[in-house]
Amino acid sequence: MRDQFIDNELQLARTSGTSRLVTLEALERGASARIVSVDWDRLAPEEGARLRALGIDEGACIGMAHRGVFGGRDPLAITVGRMTVAIRRIHAAAMEVEPL
Amino acid sequence: MNASRTAALVGNPNAGKSALFNALTGARQKIANYPGVTVERKAGRVVLPSGESVELIDLPGAYSFDPTSPDEEVTRKVVHGQFEGEATPEVLIVVLDAANLEQHLVFAQEVIALGRPTVVALNMVDLAERDGLVLDPAALASSLGVPVVPTVAVRRRGIAELIDAIAKAETKVEPGEPHERPHLTLPERRLAATNIAKAAILSESTEHRLHAGLDKVLLHPWIGPVILFGFLFVVFQAVFAWATPFADGLESLIGAVSDWVVATFPAGIPRDFVTQGILAGVGSVVVFLPQIVILFAFILAMEASGYMARAAFLMDRMMQSVGLSGRSFIPLLSSFACAIPGIMATRSIADPKDRLTTILIAPLMTCSARLPVYAVIIAAFIPQTKVGPSGFAFIGLQGLVLFALYVAGIVGAMAVALVLRRSVTKGQESGFIMELPRYQLPHLGDLLIGLWQRAWVFLRRAGTIIFTVTVVLWILLSFPRAEPGQSQVDASIAGQLSKGLAVVVEPIGFNRDIALALIPAMAAREVAVSSLATTYAVDAPEDDEAATEAGLASQLSARWSLPTALAFLAWFVFAPQCLSTIAVVRRETNGWKWPVFMLGYLFALAYIFAGLTYWTAVALGL
C-alpha cells in the first residue's frame, strides 16, 4: 500500500517536471535520450559493471539504433558516442531517460 | 638474445589487437593456454631494428582492471606481474580504436597510470577517416605523456614506426621506482577521456558512417534474419560444392601413392600396413581438409568483418527463448567447425549457468569431423539430383540432405538447452550486452594465418590421434590371420569384439561393420570413415586391387540398406564420439561430472533417434 503511494508520488514528481522521463525500454527507433537514472539493483552486478564499462551510465547520451527481430522488440542496439552496443529490454527497463 | 624481454598488447575488445599482433609477429605464433585458467595465450616474436627480438603477447581484451570475466582477470594479473610463471611485460602497447577514442581512452588511462614504458598504437585510423574523423596524434601524445603511433593493422600501415617506438620505449631508462599516480574513479576517467579525445580530434563529421547504413539493412528486423539464414545456407552449399575438386585431387594423390607402394614393394604384412592401414585410413580423413578450410574461411571472415556480432544480435531473441543469449551463438557457430574451439569460446559468456548450457549443447552442432561421415554416406546413398518446385529444380538434393542434418543438430541443441535451463542448469535468466564493432574489410593475410592455424590443428589430429587409432584398428583387424576360406574381418580381434556391440546396436539397424567402426570412432568421429575404409579394404581378397581402389562410397551402397545409412547419419547427429571434446569439457568445467552427464545424454539421444529413423524408414519401405 505504502509502496504504491510512493510510486504514485514519484510518478507525479517526474511528470510534473519540464521534461517527461520515460524508461529506455519505451524509446522508439531513431530517438535520442540522456540517461537520468539507472536502477542498478535490478541488474546483475556483473551486468551493471559491464554496462558502466561501456559508458552506459547516468548522464550518458544514447540513441536507439535498432530494436528487435521478426516484429519483436528485443534485443536493442543503442549508440553511445561512436560505439554501438546490443542490450536487452530487461536492461533498458531499468534505465530512466530524458528524450532529447 | 635475452629471452626474458617481453612486451604485451593491451586494449579494449574490438581495438584490432589480433590484427596488430599478426602484423607485428607474422605467422610464427605460439598458441597455448594460461596455466590453471581457460584463457588462450598468444605469443610471438617481434624483431627490432637492432636485430634483437622481443617476445610479444596478445592479452585478452579488457574494459578495465576491474575484471568482470576470466579474460579480464588474466589481463589484469599479467600486466601487474601477478600471474605466476608469466614474466611481467617490460613494454605495454596500448591499442586504441581511433574512431572510438572517448571509450578506449578510459582503460588506456588506467594502463598508462601504471607508469611503465608504454606506447600507444592509434589503430584503425582509416576507419576513423571513413567516419569523418581527423585526428592529431601529436596532441594525443602530449595529453597522454606517451608516444602515439597511428596504425592500420589490417593494412599493415604504421607497423615499422610502431616497432621503432617499442624499441625506444624499451631502452628508455626508468627513473627509479614507478611513481604512484592518484587513483581516479571511473566517472573521473571517463570525463578525462572525453576531454583528451576532444583535444585530439581536429575535425569531425558524422556523415560517412558506412556501418550505420549497412546495419540498417543487416540488422533490419525482417530483412536481417533472412539475409543471415540465406548466407548460412550459401556457406553450407559452398562447403560441399567448392571443396569437391580439391578433395578429388587429394584422393587421386593418395591413390597414386598407394599404387606406387603396391608396385614397388613386395606383398606382405608391411605393405598391407602402409596401404590398407595408413594410406586408406589417414588418407580418407585428410581428404576432407578442403571442406574444413572452406568452413573456417567463412567463420573467420565473419569474425574479422564484424558481421559475427550482428549474427549474435539477430540470434539473441531465438536463443533467449531457450534460456540462452546471442553470446552463445558465436561459440555454437564455431562448433560447426569443431566443438573444441567452440567450447573454449564459451569463456566469453559471463553467466556460469549460461556457459555450462552452451558447453553441453556445443557437441550437437555438426562439427567438421562429422562432415567426412556425412559426406561419405550422402555420396553413397543420396542421388546427385536437383530438387525444387517443378521447373525450378536448382537445389542439389545432396546439399539439401546435408543442410537437414545441420538443422537436426540445431533443433536438437535448442530442445536440449530448453530442458537443461529448466532442470540441471536452472537459474536467473542471463542478459546480453555486447559491443557491435565497426564493419571492415578483413585482411587476407590475417585470414590465412587463422586458416593455417586451424588446418594445422586438424592435420595434427590426423597425424596423431587418427593415425594411432587407424594403426591400432588395422592390427585388431589383421590379427589373428584368417584361415583359408574364412573372412579376415570375422577372424580378427576387432571382429570378435564388435559381435558383442552388434547385439546392442542391431535393433537400430546397425550391422557388424558399423559396430566395428563405432569403437575407434570414440577417439574422433572422422575415424568412423577411415575404419570403414580399412574394414572394407581388408575384406577385399588379396589380389583384387580393384576392390581396394573402388571408392568407399560404392562399397557402402552395395553393402548397406538405405534405412541403415539414414540411421547411421541420425546417430552421428547426436553421438558424443570425440574423446578430445570430452577432455576439453572436463577441463572447462573442472571435473568429471559434466562430461559424464554429456556422454550419457548424448548417447541416449543418439540411440533413440537412430532407432526412430531406422524404424520409420523401414515402415515407409525405403
Side-chain angles (χ1 to χ4, degrees), chain A residues 29 42-57 65-91, chain B residues 63 68-69 72 99-100 102-103 131 133 186 190 204-206 209 211 215-216 219 221-222 225-226 229 313-314 316-317 320 324-327 428-436 438:
Chain A
R29 207 168 87 86
R42 284 175 65 177
L43 303 170
E46 321 80 70
E47 294 190 347
R50 171 88 5 129
L51 286 173
R52 280 193 296 272
L54 287 163
I56 302 167
D57 202 345
H66 303 278
R67 59 179 309 162
V69 281
F70 286 144
R73 289 172 68 80
D74 213 9
L76 323 168
I78 60 173
T79 54
V80 199
R82 291 181 165 267
M83 196 169 41
T84 310
V85 181
I87 63 168
R88 284 249 182 98
R89 274 175 83 170
I90 182 170
H91 307 125
Chain B
Y63 290 107
T68 60
S69 72
E72 288 186 333
N100 197 4
E102 52 274 59
Q103 166 67 22
D131 281 1
L133 265 183
L186 178 62
R190 189 165 290 289
E204 78 180 301
S205 68
T206 50
R209 301 191 67 176
H211 76 282
D215 271 346
K216 267 209 177 82
L219 290 184
W222 294 96
V226 172
F229 288 124
F313 180 88
L314 293 170
D316 181 62
R317 187 63 195 84
Q320 197 183 351
L324 295 173
S325 84
R327 261 184 197 280
Q428 199 194 357
E429 198 191 318
S430 53
F432 173 61
I433 300 166
M434 184 180 209
E435 190 183 335
L436 303 178
R438 271 175 197 71

Side-chain angles (χ1 to χ4, degrees), chain B residues 69-136:
Chain B
S69 72
D71 279 20
E72 288 186 333
E73 179 75 31
V74 165
T75 299
R76 188 185 71 81
K77 280 190 172 169
V78 172
V79 169
H80 286 84
Q82 292 162 351
F83 203 101
E84 225 172 287
E86 187 72 60
T88 312
E90 287 167 35
V91 183
L92 298 172
I93 303 148
V94 178
V95 190
L96 297 179
D97 174 2
N100 197 4
L101 275 183
E102 52 274 59
Q103 166 67 22
H104 285 210
L105 281 171
V106 177
F107 181 45
Q109 290 177 81
E110 251 188 300
V111 179
I112 293 165
L114 296 171
R116 302 242 295 278
T118 307
V119 177
V120 168
L122 187 62
N123 199 21
M124 305 200 271
V125 281
D126 58 333
L127 295 192
E129 278 161 26
R130 195 184 71 190
D131 281 1
L133 265 183
V134 183
L135 296 168
D136 181 1

